[in-house]
Amino acid sequence: MACQPRQFAESAQAFAWFDAERPGLIAVLGWAEEKRYQSRAVLLAACLVVYLERQRLFDDGVTVSRAALSAARRLGDPDREAGASNNLGNALRRVGEVAEAIDVHTRARDFFRSVGEHRSEAVSWNNLGLDLLAAGREDEAIEALTHARDLFQVVGDAHLEAVALDCLGVALSQMGRVADSIEMTARARDLFRTVGDFRREAGAENNLGSALIDAGRTEEAIESLGSGREIFRELGDWYWTGQVLHNVALCHEADQHPAEAVTCWVQASEAYTRAGAVKEAAEALALAEEQERLRFDRPTP
């Protein structure tokens, strides 16, 4: 009898299932040492990295992607090997192994370029740009991300063009090019909205809000951040809800509204706690307490 796929009524149920089954699913990838399981191991890893990225389980992401890369090499499948390399590089960047991530993504880019897979080449360029940004090599990062954006335009992939635009906006903001960052992230947000990727739309709203804060346009920033926060809440993504609330608190702080800033940092701490992000929750709570202390230490006019 053929296996029937498990159906879930909503994403929360699917994530709960993955949470419960994660140890076993990762252990299964050990079977990739056997030739008969290698192809399936690569496919399983490709599915798992999406879940692990969302749950911020980056160490597991490295483990899973290394297993997939090893299996793809034993299969003698360079296309799958390059795809697994892209996933591995992303996980390595997340755990701070930036130099290895740059090497992995450079090799993936070179392979896809050599076989004329321009869409996959563009994905590798984008990933490489993020690695270079993490390494503090901003000029090279902007060059790589611009190349990714241009390639996505050539192949006509508006969705991934939006991804590159959003990443480019972050890089420009990091270099202090705030006006350019606002332009790029606003274009990314609009494209994500057009293609129906609401989660990335919310991320672009958060990045746009950050750039608007840097530009001193806090009223617009609060509006943009509010839109992102609502989407993340609807999706049950509590980590990024916390990130957005942190940025809203910065807006209130800049506008000298300390009580509102305290409220947002407390809410951010609660969101981080729901996401299991203990460090971020503690940091947000400390910021709330510090702001509260400063609030009452200020002299009365």
Side-chain angles (χ1 to χ4, degrees):
M1 181 182 294
C3 294
Q4 295 299 314
R6 179 77 178 271
Q7 301 292 322
F8 299 98
E10 55 186 24
S11 60
Q13 293 177 354
F15 279 110
W17 182 88
F18 269 113
D19 289 340
E21 300 295 332
R22 173 169 57 97
L25 291 169
I26 293 174
V28 161
L29 288 171
W31 297 355
E33 296 293 328
E34 296 186 39
K35 185 175 181 179
R36 57 178 172 159
Y37 295 125
Q38 287 168 0
S39 181
R40 291 177 183 176
V42 175
L43 291 173
L44 174 59
C47 295
L48 279 175
V49 292
V50 177
Y51 156 74
L52 295 170
E53 171 78 15
R54 168 67 185 272
Q55 299 299 83
R56 306 185 65 77
L57 298 166
F58 303 127
D59 288 323
D60 285 342
V62 172
T63 299
V64 163
S65 298
R66 286 198 192 281
L69 180 58
S70 178
R73 282 174 176 163
R74 287 195 296 273
L75 283 168
D77 188 331
D79 189 60
R80 285 187 176 185
E81 180 180 338
S85 293
N86 264 330
N87 290 333
L88 175 59
N90 288 337
L92 287 166
R93 181 177 66 251
R94 294 292 199 176
V95 299
E97 298 293 338
V98 179
E100 187 179 356
I102 290 172
D103 180 58
V104 166
H105 281 141
T106 298
R107 283 188 276 113
R109 178 204 62 190
D110 292 346
F111 168 76
F112 287 125
R113 179 194 284 164
S114 71
V115 297
E117 290 279 356
H118 298 305
R119 182 181 177 279
S120 296
E121 180 192 344
V123 170
S124 299
W125 271 113
N126 196 76
N127 291 334
L128 179 58
L130 293 175
D131 299 337
L132 292 166
L133 188 62
R137 295 159 60 179
E138 289 91 351
D139 288 332
E140 295 171 81
I142 287 175
E143 183 179 349
L145 293 167
T146 301
H147 202 87
R149 179 202 62 189
D150 293 346
L151 268 179
F152 286 132
Q153 288 177 343
V154 168
V155 300
D157 193 322
H159 186 199
L160 289 178
E161 179 188 346
V163 172
L165 284 167
D166 196 27
C167 295
L168 187 54
V170 171
L172 290 165
S173 179
Q174 192 163 309
M175 287 194 72
R177 294 171 56 181
V178 178
D180 291 335
S181 175
I182 290 171
E183 178 187 352
M184 293 296 170
T185 49
R187 286 170 57 191
R189 175 203 58 194
D190 294 344
L191 269 177
F192 284 134
R193 187 176 295 162
T194 298
V195 301
D197 188 338
F198 301 114
R199 187 172 186 275
R200 283 198 172 97
E201 178 190 340
E205 291 279 27
N206 182 57
N207 293 334
L208 176 58
S210 295
L212 289 166
I213 293 170
D214 292 338
R217 295 158 59 179
T218 53
E219 212 171 290
E220 295 170 77
I222 288 174
E223 181 180 351
S224 185
L225 293 166
S227 298
R229 178 187 60 199
E230 290 310 307
I231 295 172
F232 282 131
R233 278 179 170 168
E234 288 175 12
L235 295 173
D237 192 328
W238 296 109
Y239 180 88
W240 281 101
T241 298
Q243 291 283 90
V244 175
L245 283 163
H246 171 86
N247 285 332
V248 176
L250 294 178
C251 288
H252 289 309
E253 185 180 46
D255 288 342
Q256 297 186 11
H257 296 151
E260 289 86 346
V262 168
T263 298
C264 285
W265 270 315
V266 169
Q267 291 174 348
S269 181
E270 292 168 350
Y272 284 135
T273 298
R274 292 188 69 170
V278 177
K279 178 185 174 185
E280 290 87 344
E283 289 172 348
L285 195 57
L287 286 167
E289 291 170 350
E290 176 65 12
Q291 185 63 246
E292 190 77 350
R293 184 186 64 77
L294 291 172
R295 179 185 171 198
F296 288 106
D297 283 350
R298 290 187 181 96
T300 304

